[in-house]
Amino acid sequence: MPFLYSIEEHKKDKHKYVMITGFDEGASDLVVPAEIDGYPVEAVGNHAFSGRGDLLTVSLPMSIKTLYGFAFHNCRKLRKISLFDSIDDYYDGVCRQCDSLKEVEITMVRGWYEVVRNFLADNDRTLRFILNLQDDSERNAGYPARSVLTFPEYVYDFNENTMARTIQFSIAGSGMFYRECVDRRSMDYRQYDRLFEKAVIDGGRIPEDIAIDRLLYPVELADDFRKAYEDHVRANAESILIRLVEESSDEPENIGTVKALLTYNNSDPKKNLLPSGAMDAAIKLSADKGLVQMSAVLMEAGRVSAEDQMFKL
């Protein structure tokens, strides 16, 4: 087995477990096993994968309880980490300087949101969290099985005032405020949604992504916030579709996102998120780029919309 590891003894109950210390081969999509040599894999050691330039994705098993310092530090191409909320100890710098890290997928078995807080504290860049909700309280409340939340970036800076002999600190961007929505045991969705105005001020694609994900995965989404998100998507429909089409070669999941947006609230065509003008621009771009699947999805939606209009007439 190409994994490098050591057998450790737990300080409290003396049980033995595996700590991963490295990987002896090249790997783009790393899957850490739950067991090695009959022992549970419970930790990823200090600097175990630090500085690797080959890792694109990492998947950790539910047996992992500890991520030691700088475990994936400086993995510049790492885009996604998948794990469980089984993490009890998260040490400093686990994913620091992972400049390409965009997405963290967490299966929430015990409703332990501390792991979300830890990743956010370790990274000031924009991070998108896919939370697979399996906690009984969440499931019984009738929420969707998944919550998808984008946390914007922020810039923390300071300036020295030599005349006054003081240091002035400043925070730019809404990301710091969004990070305050998570505590150890819960996610405050109302606070998250209230911050949307700040994200809109930041501009760019971030508020578009926030709005799309909250509409498609509406855990605890109140009607007033739903309308604000719908209005934003509708007002920016063309730029959203153009971006989804342009990036679909590298991100094939964009086809599913476009499908979901096209069928959103399709029982009432007046509330469609994507106006015909935005659709026409997206269809033209998709055809010009030779994107067969994306073109088929867009053109089918356009055909159905046209038939609906003819039927009403």
Side-chain angles (χ1 to χ4, degrees):
M1 179 174 286
F3 282 99
L4 305 177
Y5 60 93
S6 61
I7 306 297
E8 306 290 331
E9 185 176 85
H10 199 277
K11 293 180 180 179
K12 291 185 178 179
D13 61 13
K14 305 301 181 183
H15 79 271
K16 292 184 177 181
Y17 66 91
V18 168
M19 179 169 68
I20 300 293
T21 59
F23 193 74
D24 206 20
E25 294 180 0
S28 57
D29 302 301
L30 183 73
V31 179
V32 175
E35 184 179 287
I36 295 178
D37 290 343
Y39 297 107
V41 178
E42 295 186 4
V44 179
N46 285 303
H47 293 276
F49 300 97
S50 181
R52 293 193 63 128
D54 54 349
L55 292 183
L56 301 178
T57 68
V58 170
S59 180
L60 302 176
M62 188 165 59
S63 59
I64 295 288
K65 298 179 180 179
T66 303
L67 295 176
Y68 281 104
F70 303 95
F72 300 98
H73 167 257
N74 198 34
C75 290
R76 299 283 182 173
K77 295 181 180 179
L78 181 61
R79 297 196 308 255
K80 180 177 180 179
I81 297 177
S82 301
L83 71 165
F84 291 77
D85 65 341
S86 56
I87 307 299
D88 289 324
D89 295 300
Y90 182 111
Y91 287 77
D92 187 50
V94 167
C95 61
R96 195 162 301 163
Q97 293 184 345
C98 293
D99 296 338
S100 299
L101 184 63
K102 295 180 179 179
E103 200 165 84
V104 179
E105 182 168 1
I106 306 173
T107 300
M108 307 294 292
V109 175
R110 56 178 185 158
W112 186 240
Y113 285 82
E114 180 72 6
V115 64
V116 178
R117 281 165 48 95
N118 288 330
F119 273 100
L120 288 171
D122 214 16
N123 198 312
D124 58 7
R125 294 173 177 270
T126 298
L127 281 180
R128 183 175 187 251
F129 285 83
I130 299 174
L131 305 178
N132 299 311
L133 306 177
Q134 296 188 2
D135 179 72
D136 285 340
S137 62
E138 292 164 329
R139 188 166 58 243
N140 293 338
Y143 300 149
R146 172 174 286 184
S147 174
V148 181
L149 303 168
T150 293
F151 289 80
E153 65 182 3
Y154 68 95
V155 177
Y156 186 68
D157 200 5
F158 66 91
N159 295 295
E160 184 178 0
N161 187 327
T162 55
M163 296 294 292
R165 295 183 180 181
T166 61
I167 295 177
Q168 299 173 332
F169 295 91
S170 63
I171 298 175
S174 59
M176 181 62 77
F177 301 103
Y178 271 92
R179 281 158 172 74
E180 294 175 355
C181 298
V182 192
D183 63 25
R184 303 181 76 185
R185 287 288 184 182
S186 65
M187 171 72 203
D188 190 337
Y189 286 96
R190 278 199 166 272
Q191 182 183 356
Y192 181 94
D193 292 331
R194 286 192 194 100
L195 291 170
F196 186 58
E197 292 179 353
K198 293 184 180 294
V200 172
I201 293 172
D202 289 347
R205 63 179 291 171
I206 302 304
E208 297 175 355
D209 290 340
I210 290 173
I212 291 169
D213 286 336
R214 287 298 282 143
L215 291 174
L216 299 186
Y217 305 95
V219 175
E220 294 191 44
L221 180 59
D223 288 341
D224 51 345
F225 295 125
R226 183 190 303 273
K227 184 179 184 307
Y229 289 134
E230 288 175 345
D231 290 345
H232 189 80
V233 171
R234 199 172 288 116
N236 296 276
E238 184 168 336
S239 67
I240 289 172
L241 277 177
I242 293 299
R243 173 163 58 86
L244 291 173
V245 170
E246 286 181 337
E247 297 176 355
S248 61
S249 296
D250 295 325
E251 300 181 18
E253 64 273 13
N254 284 3
I255 294 176
T257 301
V258 170
K259 284 183 179 179
L261 290 173
L262 290 169
T263 57
Y264 178 86
N265 203 15
N266 58 3
S267 60
D268 186 354
K270 293 181 180 179
K271 295 183 179 180
N272 285 345
L273 292 178
L274 306 176
S276 58
M279 290 285 295
D280 292 342
I283 290 172
K284 182 179 185 305
L285 176 63
S286 185
D288 290 344
K289 286 182 169 290
L291 302 174
V292 177
Q293 285 185 287
M294 181 67 82
S295 295
V297 168
L298 291 165
M299 293 179 71
E300 173 63 18
R303 182 187 65 79
V304 170
S305 178
E307 289 178 353
D308 288 341
Q309 293 298 322
M310 290 293 294
F311 178 78
K312 289 180 181 179
L313 294 173

